Amino acid sequence: MEHFFGFIFVLMTAGILLVGAVIFGFIKMFSKSGEVNVAREAQMIQEIYNGMSRMEERIEALETILLEKDGKERRS
């Protein structure tokens, strides 16, 4: 039971840090002057988004492999 509460605490802490980082990023993005910085940051955000999409596809592929492997082991 202690592990469960520890896990919940870690998730909450990670969520708070993530929200803080996003807010800090937006404040930093809008406080900078010049369209070059905004364009560069927009490109970085787009690259992060694309990377996350690729990661999601990889995770789905791994899940499929694991489920197929688990199904074969149960049949044996």
Side-chain angles (χ1 to χ4, degrees):
M1 193 66 151
E2 292 177 18
H3 295 294
F4 178 72
F5 289 123
F7 181 70
I8 295 298
F9 177 74
V10 168
L11 284 179
M12 289 175 50
T13 304
I16 290 170
L17 289 174
L18 181 63
V19 169
V22 169
I23 291 172
F24 179 74
F26 278 126
I27 291 171
K28 189 175 177 183
M29 183 173 69
F30 289 119
S31 66
K32 287 185 178 180
S33 61
E35 293 190 23
V36 174
N37 291 334
V38 173
R40 189 178 331 147
E41 289 175 0
Q43 181 182 4
M44 287 179 8
I45 291 171
Q46 186 68 35
E47 290 173 0
I48 292 170
Y49 177 77
N50 290 337
M52 291 178 70
S53 297
R54 288 191 306 267
M55 187 184 314
E56 182 180 3
E57 291 172 4
R58 290 176 184 159
I59 290 171
E60 288 174 358
L62 287 171
E63 288 174 341
T64 302
I65 291 169
L66 290 173
L67 289 173
E68 288 175 354
K69 183 179 178 182
D70 188 40
K72 288 180 183 177
E73 288 178 357
R74 288 186 183 183
R75 283 187 246 149
S76 299

